[in-house]
Amino acid sequence: MEKEFEQMEQQFKNYIPILDALKDENRHAIILLLARNKSGLNVNTIAEHISLSRPAVSHHLKVLRQAGFVDYEKKNVENYYVLTIRKPLEQLKLLIASIEAQCSQS
């Protein structure tokens, strides 16, 4: 039983970047904006739609990218960001399943 709790604790630590990325409303707005624009958007366009500065948008995109929610494609001299949400969502599902399994054993 103790080993299972240690594994779950490690899972939580592994998911910190994903959970951290989801705690900010600006990042929610970026995710939703990219969901509506499947071909990708550059930083300037994202900044125009959510009323943030380019540096602020870049920061949020970096956090989202590190957590696996977005990636970018280089087009000419600009990066176009696209949503790549499947992997972090699958990881969250695994975490939830692990917690549910542990709770049902109690």
Side-chain angles (χ1 to χ4, degrees), residues 7-69:
Q7 288 175 336
M8 197 163 35
E9 182 180 12
Q10 186 59 45
Q11 280 183 308
F12 270 113
K13 288 179 183 175
N14 292 340
Y15 297 125
I16 288 173
I18 293 171
L19 298 170
D20 187 50
L22 293 175
K23 71 180 185 182
D24 187 280
E25 290 181 20
N26 291 309
R27 292 193 277 272
H28 299 174
I30 291 171
I31 289 171
L32 294 172
L33 183 62
L34 291 175
R36 288 190 304 266
N37 295 276
K38 305 230 185 286
S39 61
L41 298 171
N42 63 20
V43 173
N44 286 332
T45 304
I46 295 169
E48 290 169 8
H49 280 86
I50 60 174
S51 301
L52 288 176
S53 68
R54 289 188 76 240
V57 169
S58 292
H59 166 74
H60 290 301
L61 287 168
K62 179 181 176 185
V63 172
L64 289 169
R65 190 163 175 255
Q66 289 172 338
F69 285 96

Side-chain angles (χ1 to χ4, degrees), residues 22 31 67-70 82-91:
L22 293 175
I31 289 171
F69 285 96
V70 300
V82 293
L83 203 56
T84 56
I85 201 166
R86 183 165 300 212
K87 184 178 178 185
L89 287 181
E90 291 300 321
Q91 291 173 320

Side-chain angles (χ1 to χ4, degrees), residues 30 47 51 71 75-76 100:
I30 291 171
S51 301
D71 204 355
K75 295 181 185 176
N76 296 322
E100 286 178 334

